[in-house]
Amino acid sequence: MELPKINLDVLRTVPVAQKILLLVLIVAGIGAGFYYLVVADKNVMIANLQTDIGKLDTEIQTTSIKVQHLDELIAANKQLEIELAKKKERLPPEEEAIMLLKQLSDMAVRLGLDIKLWKPGTQVPDPSKLFVKMPVNIEAAGGYHTAALFFDQINRLPRIMNVSDLRMGSSRIEQDRVVIQTAFELTAFVAPPESNPTAPAAK
């Protein structure tokens, strides 16, 4: 296939001003085509890259701040774990807590308190799943100092016990001594039962 021949004679007859104008139009068209086909796409790519670089810079700054405080967070977490382990050591298993409550009952009698009521309540698991509350409703009669001594012995226990809802009635004289009716709730905090995934589910 032969290319079309350009008639140079026709071009020679075109005035110089028109030739210059035609040349300018051709160069402008080539420049415009180059801009829209090459430069514009490159500008879009550059803008996208600048946006990505900005996001990465922000992430790097955030990560750098976190890294600066990482050692402090690790140390604080270790301290919290140590404190949690110490508190867990004061949480006996349920069987030990039951024995401890029985020992407290015997100790109250030895101190001179007359136990009128010793009624275990419903166990209440804490929402944190870290311990279970074992409440006991107690009514006892005895001297004021005897009751105070009993509460002091509870406070000295290495296990966590709590006395709440303390109510004292009016005093009366029995066998030449002042007797006060005392009612309160004694709560033992025990370790939650260990979960056994292999055990069959209770019906």
Side-chain angles (χ1 to χ4, degrees):
M1 180 178 179
E2 295 182 358
L3 295 174
K5 296 180 180 180
I6 300 175
N7 191 347
L8 297 178
D9 293 336
V10 176
L11 292 176
R12 291 192 186 98
T13 60
V14 177
V16 175
Q18 293 183 0
K19 290 180 180 179
I20 294 173
L21 180 59
L22 180 61
L23 181 60
V24 170
L25 292 175
I26 293 174
V27 172
I30 294 173
F34 177 78
Y35 176 82
Y36 286 108
L37 295 176
V38 179
V39 177
D41 290 341
K42 296 296 183 183
N43 287 339
V44 173
M45 293 177 60
I46 291 172
N48 292 335
L49 288 174
Q50 288 176 342
T51 301
D52 293 340
I53 290 172
K55 291 180 180 180
L56 290 175
D57 286 339
T58 302
E59 292 179 3
I60 290 172
Q61 292 176 2
T62 303
T63 304
S64 299
I65 294 174
K66 290 181 179 179
V67 169
Q68 291 175 2
H69 298 286
L70 183 60
D71 293 338
E72 298 177 6
L73 293 175
I74 292 175
N77 185 62
K78 288 183 178 179
Q79 184 62 32
L80 289 174
E81 289 179 350
I82 292 173
E83 293 178 2
L84 180 60
K86 289 181 179 179
K87 292 184 182 298
K88 284 185 175 180
E89 288 178 356
R90 299 184 63 190
L91 293 174
E94 180 179 350
E95 295 79 7
E96 181 180 337
I98 293 174
M99 292 180 59
L100 183 58
L101 290 171
K102 176 64 169 62
Q103 292 172 2
L104 286 175
S105 175
D106 296 340
M107 181 180 66
V109 173
R110 289 197 304 271
L111 290 175
L113 288 176
D114 183 13
I115 303 297
K116 303 294 185 180
L117 175 68
W118 188 279
K119 182 180 179 182
T122 303
Q123 297 185 18
V124 181
D126 188 75
S128 66
K129 308 298 183 183
L130 295 177
F131 59 86
V132 177
K133 296 179 181 179
M134 293 180 59
V136 179
N137 292 318
I138 301 173
E139 292 182 6
Y144 174 80
H145 293 289
T146 303
L149 181 60
F150 177 64
F151 293 145
D152 181 67
Q153 293 297 321
I154 293 175
N155 188 50
R156 293 174 181 272
L157 291 173
R159 302 302 191 181
I160 301 177
M161 293 278 182
N162 183 47
V163 174
S164 61
D165 195 18
L166 179 62
R167 304 179 303 278
M168 287 189 174
S170 58
S171 61
R172 64 180 186 275
I173 304 298
E174 288 185 3
Q175 298 178 357
D176 297 332
R177 65 169 185 159
V178 179
V179 175
I180 299 175
Q181 189 78 14
T182 304
F184 58 93
E185 183 177 85
L186 177 63
T187 303
F189 294 83
V190 302
E194 296 183 358
S195 58
N196 185 4
T198 58
K203 294 184 181 179

